Amino acid sequence: MSTEIEHIEQHHVLTAIKLLKMIGWHPKRNSTKYNLVHEDEEYPPKLVLQIAHAEYKKEKWLSYPGIASGGHPTNEPLRMLGFEIKEKE
């Protein structure tokens, strides 16, 4: 089954990370089990992927309902793009 997640590229994810680094995120958006690690900073993978998807679609991410359930469906595409995913302690 083809999904739009397949079209997300590394630069979309880096844009999402840059945005989150600048503005932060609400604690309710924190991840429960895993974090994406980039330049020694940790980010919630599902939120990063949602923003990266909105960047790919050129949509406003704040109104985007979501594209992944978390865990493997979220983490694997990010790993395939070269990002580190680590389990939270």
Side-chain angles (χ1 to χ4, degrees):
M1 183 171 128
S2 178
T3 66
E4 290 185 344
I5 293 175
E6 296 169 354
H7 301 290
I8 294 172
E9 297 177 4
Q10 191 177 53
H11 68 93
H12 297 122
V13 176
L14 291 172
T15 298
I17 290 170
K18 181 178 178 181
L19 179 64
L20 288 171
K21 187 171 185 159
M22 285 188 325
I23 67 169
W25 59 92
H26 193 281
K28 288 183 179 182
R29 299 303 307 263
N30 283 337
S31 61
T32 56
K33 294 183 181 180
Y34 301 94
N35 278 328
L36 181 152
V37 180
H38 181 71
E39 296 179 348
D40 298 322
E41 303 265 346
E42 296 186 6
Y43 302 89
K46 185 166 42 173
L47 181 58
V48 169
L49 194 60
Q50 289 171 338
I51 297 170
H53 180 263
E55 175 66 20
Y56 159 71
K57 296 286 288 183
K58 301 296 181 201
E59 295 176 351
K60 293 180 182 177
W61 71 272
L62 290 174
S63 63
Y64 194 71
I67 57 169
S69 61
H72 184 77
T74 298
N75 298 336
E76 194 56 28
L78 293 167
R79 282 187 181 111
M80 290 178 65
L81 291 172
F83 293 96
E84 178 186 355
I85 303 294
K86 77 171 201 175
E87 193 164 356
K88 291 175 82 170
E89 298 176 7

